Structure formats: C-alpha cells, structure tokens
Amino acid sequence: MSDLDSFRSETRAWLEAHCPPEMRAPMKDESDACWGGRNPVFKSDAQKQWMDAMAARGWTVPDWPKDYGGGGLSPAETKILRQEMAAIGARNPLMSFGISMLGPALLKYGNEGQKKRFLTQIARGEIRWCQGYSEPGAGSDLASLQTKCEDKGDHWLVNGQKVWTSYADKADWIFCLVRTDPAAPKHKGISFLLFDMASPGVSTKPILLISGNSPFCETFFDDVAVPKEQLVGEVGKGWDVAKYLLGHEREMISGMGLGGGGGESLGAALGDRLREDPLLRADVARFDVDAIAFRAMSERFIDELKAGQAHPAQPSMMKYAGTELNKARHELAMAAGGSAALEWDSDRSKGGKAPREWLRTKANSIEGGTSEIQLGIIAKHILQLPGA
Ligand SMILES: Cc1cc2nc3c(=O)[nH]c(=O)nc-3n(C[C@H](O)[C@H](O)[C@H](O)COP(=O)(O)OP(=O)(O)OC[C@H]3O[C@@H](n4cnc5c(N)ncnc54)[C@H](O)[C@@H]3O)c2cc1C
C-alpha cells in the first residue's frame, strides 16, 4: 500500500467513527451551517460534536500548517480528505470567512504574532469574521474607499462607513480596508486592518433584501481606536493584501457552480417535471453539459493552484463561470416548477424554499466583484493590457 492509500483508509475509518449520521445529509438552508464565533450557536449536539472533532484534528483547515491549528496535510492528502468526506456526504463542519478569505491572506502577509494569534482561533472556529471592503462610494471601484485611519502614535483611529457587510451584526471581528494616506495615489494609500466589532464606536444596521432576509448591514465607525499591531502587512500596502484575499473569495464563491457538491445532474433532480416540455428538457441537458465542464475546470484549476501554477485570471474565470451557472440552475428549476414554484413558502421535493433561493442567486454575480468586473480582469490578463 502506498502512503496515500494508507492515508485514505485511515481517513475513511476516522470519518466513519467521528462524523455523526445527522452530519451526513446536505444542508437544507443557511441555518444548518455552523459559523462558530465567540458565542457559537449549534443547531444540534451532533453539529457541535462534528465541529469539535474536526477542529481537534486540524481538519477544519486541513492544508494549513499544524503550528497554526491546521492539519498539516499535503495537497494530495487534502484532496483525499475532501473525496472521502464527499463519499459519505459529510457536511463542511465550519463555515467561516476566516477560513476562506482572511486565513490565506494572513498566511501570506501576516507577521508571526498575527498568524499564531488569529489563524489558530480561526481554525478552532473561535472568531466569526466579516469583510469591510465596500463603501457607499466604492464597490466595483473599490480603491476609491474613504474610511479614514489616522496614526495617533500608540493606536489607529478609524472613522467612516462600510456597506453590504455580510453578517456584520453577527460577527466578532472585521477585516477592513482603510485609507491611511489620503494624499497618496488611490491604490497606494490603503491599509488592511483587523479589529473587534465590540470596540466602542462600531455600530451596524441590517439591510432588508427581496428574499425577505437581512444577511448584510451598513457598518459605521465613529472614532474607533485600534491597537497598532492589528495592521496586516505594511502601511499603505493594503491593496496587495486586499487583492490576494479577493482571489480566494472568488474561488470560494465559484464553488456555487458545483451545486452543493453532490454531482447529481439537474435533469435527474427535476425528473418527471421535464417530461411534458421538450424545449425545457433541451435547456436542462445543455446546462448539465456545462455543469460537467465546470466541474472538470474547477478540479484542474484547484490542482494548478495548489501546485503554484495558477494563471492570474483563474479566480475571476472560476467566479464568473460558477456564479453564472448557479443562476442558470435556479432559473431552470423555477421554469420546471411552473407557477407552483412561485409560492413563497413552498418546499421543493429536495427541500428548501425555491423562490427565495432563486432570488438569492441574483446576488451571486454581484458579491465578491460583479461579472462585468471579472470579465474586465480576465480580458486584462489574457490580452496583457497595461495594469495586468
Ligand atoms: C450578497 C452580497 C454580499 C456582499 N457582501 C459583502 C461583504 O461582506 N463585504 C463587502 O465589503 N462587500 C460585500 N458586498 C458588496 C459587493 O462587493 C459589491 O456589491 C460589488 O463589488 C459591486 O459594487 P456596487 O454594489 O457598489 O456596484 P457598482 O460598482 O456601483 O456597479 C453597478 C453596476 O455597474 C457595473 N460596473 C461598474 N464598474 C464597471 C466597469 N468598470 N466595467 C463594467 N461594468 C461596471 C457593475 O458590473 C454593476 O452592474 C456584497 C454584495 C452582495 C450582493
């Protein structure tokens, strides 16, 4: 048996022993996700048991170094773990912007103290993070952000406003882009700061959406004092950290294109509902072919990324393709459901609220940077235009 074969059989046995049966079913909605945090909410004992077991083994972040709470697995071992989890339908034990966004940026740009402190807390699910990038005057043109950060000698002083801050009202800490030098060219006066959402002067106001939920907020900073050591990277070089983090965010969002990871075709999921309508059946068949192509592309891109051979346009290509695919999936499911699918509180046969999910997908091609912006980035890198 090769080392990887033994790793696979040990992993399979460990998962069999430690993943509770309740955690082997797809999540029905967002309330099934475990977000951790200072005051974690667990929907069931099984959910807590699963999160604790995975965190104790470092498998909430299997490929991070053991020194920072990770599992220390190689890319090949990490892939095996993901395959074995998928084989038994095991849920992701911990949803976390810390894992999918901040962690990779800290691994590259954080100092040793920041890595030891924050990465281990992220791995154990002890801090829930939110992302303070967008502002009322800075979305696609993010580098126009104006949140002011002044050097007060022994601390930073932050004043300004963020918008669309997902789960800001539930988060413990924020990773935030601030302007430390208003006189510098706009990309050069930005810094990357971490601070506690319980700091005096931080307040949030939830925004209500058409889906009926309020997943994000306006976030206000009014004379917020931040310890000096919580700035990541160099003063004025936050744009590099911001862009690196966005690449990871875009890859995370692109996962929506996989449709929950089970690999079931949409045609199979919609079943009888397609029998009466050959045109819809043809559209669904076309979609299923695109979904297979996307899955293959994702696998290849992730392998290239782990091998350090990723093309700079890759995260934008995956984000664009994955989110457009996810929107198409829900459009087709709604079309197949007919007028009955419009019923606001109806359950689909697979579970979940069809029209709410459908409306939520409209945001996929906006969050993390719009589709138009991704196409611009792809064009810039492929055509080698200035600024690529
Ligand atoms: C569900 C969701 C969650 C989010 N969560 C967060 C979060 O946690 N933290 C955070 O900081 N932000 C968050 N955002 C904000 C998100 O990053 C911005 O909405 C996004 O970057 C677009 O910015 P904007 O809304 O200001 O739109 P605008 O930038 O005003 O764009 C408006 C339209 O103009 C188009 N456009 C703009 N510039 C160009 C261009 N150069 N070329 C072609 N077309 C262009 C856009 O594509 C878009 O269609 C979230 C957004 C959503 C929808």
Side-chain angles (χ1 to χ4, degrees):
M1 238 192 195
S2 75
D3 287 351
L4 286 181
D5 287 337
S6 340
F7 177 77
R8 186 182 291 282
S9 49
E10 282 160 23
T11 300
R12 190 174 294 168
W14 188 88
L15 289 172
E16 194 50 50
H18 292 88
C19 183
E22 301 93 309
M23 295 296 107
R24 300 184 192 194
M27 294 190 201
K28 288 209 185 77
D29 55 45
E30 272 193 28
S31 73
D32 279 340
C34 168
W35 287 90
R38 221 156 18 208
N39 304 300
V41 178
F42 294 103
K43 205 169 175 182
S44 65
D45 291 345
Q47 193 186 48
K48 179 170 181 349
Q49 200 186 321
W50 179 223
M51 212 280 276
D52 288 346
M54 288 290 273
R57 209 170 166 87
W59 281 4
T60 51
V61 280
D63 54 349
W64 288 10
K66 283 192 171 170
D67 281 354
Y68 307 136
L73 301 188
S74 67
E77 289 169 334
T78 304
K79 194 168 179 180
I80 290 174
L81 172 61
R82 302 259 180 256
Q83 287 168 344
E84 291 301 318
M85 285 175 69
I88 59 166
R91 284 182 191 174
N92 176 0
L94 178 61
M95 297 275 270
S96 156
F97 293 167
I99 292 176
S100 53
M101 298 195 230
L102 177 62
L106 280 179
L107 279 166
K108 186 169 164 80
Y109 291 98
N111 60 35
E112 193 52 28
Q114 290 167 341
K115 288 184 194 176
K116 276 254 174 339
R117 177 179 176 191
F118 294 114
L119 291 175
T120 45
Q121 288 175 325
I122 291 170
R124 293 196 298 254
E126 292 170 355
I127 307 180
R128 184 166 179 178
W129 290 89
C130 63
Q131 177 188 34
Y133 274 31
S134 308
E135 296 182 4
S140 299
D141 184 14
L142 184 59
S144 293
L145 63 96
Q146 294 299 330
T147 291
K148 193 161 80 177
C149 178
E150 295 167 274
D151 187 344
K152 292 289 178 187
D154 61 344
H155 67 276
W156 301 107
L157 191 68
V158 179
N159 279 286
Q161 184 196 337
K162 297 289 171 181
V163 72
W164 316 126
T165 329
S166 296
Y167 308 115
D169 51 340
K170 299 189 173 66
D172 305 311
W173 278 63
I174 187 165
F175 47 93
C176 194
L177 292 179
V178 291
R179 187 158 297 284
T180 32
D181 185 354
K186 66 178 182 178
H187 292 91
K188 301 225 162 100
I190 295 171
S191 298
F192 191 99
L193 207 58
L194 312 175
F195 53 94
D196 195 323
M197 290 292 280
S199 311
V202 178
S203 58
T204 59
K205 197 167 150 208
I207 303 168
L208 187 66
L209 302 187
I210 50 172
S211 64
N213 298 326
S214 289
F216 46 30
C217 298
E218 292 178 278
T219 306
F220 303 93
F221 310 127
D222 188 8
D223 281 339
V224 181
V226 178
K228 272 299 186 57
E229 68 272 15
Q230 286 168 208
L231 190 137
V232 177
E234 291 177 43
V235 179
K237 297 221 170 134
W239 188 246
D240 294 338
V241 188
K243 276 198 303 184
Y244 184 75
L245 184 146
L246 273 174
H248 285 271
E249 178 179 8
R250 287 169 184 161
E251 270 165 32
M252 182 258 297
I253 295 173
S254 77
M256 289 169 180
L258 300 172
E264 186 190 28
S265 79
L266 185 62
L270 296 176
D272 281 351
R273 276 174 281 179
L274 298 178
R275 192 167 296 152
E276 305 297 318
D277 188 340
L279 291 179
L280 186 60
R281 208 162 55 232
D283 285 344
V284 170
R286 245 189 309 273
F287 171 88
D288 274 335
V289 172
D290 287 347
I292 291 167
F294 178 76
R295 186 172 290 275
M297 180 181 93
S298 296
E299 290 245 334
R300 200 189 84 195
F301 276 4
I302 287 165
D303 287 347
E304 285 172 356
L305 186 75
K306 302 275 182 221
Q309 294 166 358
H311 187 281
Q314 207 161 287
S316 294
M317 289 160 84
M318 287 176 69
K319 205 256 168 186
Y320 175 76
T323 54
E324 294 297 331
L325 199 62
N326 197 37
K327 286 200 299 185
R329 175 183 290 112
H330 286 265
E331 284 292 342
L332 289 166
M334 289 299 288
S339 56
L342 288 170
E343 193 189 329
W344 194 241
D345 289 320
S346 68
D347 270 334
R348 265 200 285 152
S349 58
K350 306 291 290 175
K353 310 274 186 273
R356 289 170 197 261
E357 288 178 356
W358 166 63
L359 289 170
R360 175 63 182 82
T361 65
K362 303 294 175 200
N364 292 169
S365 46
I366 302 174
E367 58 198 311
T370 66
S371 278
E372 290 79 10
I373 293 299
Q374 303 319 305
L375 289 172
I377 294 172
I378 295 164
K380 203 161 68 176
H381 283 291
I382 304 286
L383 301 175
Q384 292 292 305
L385 299 178

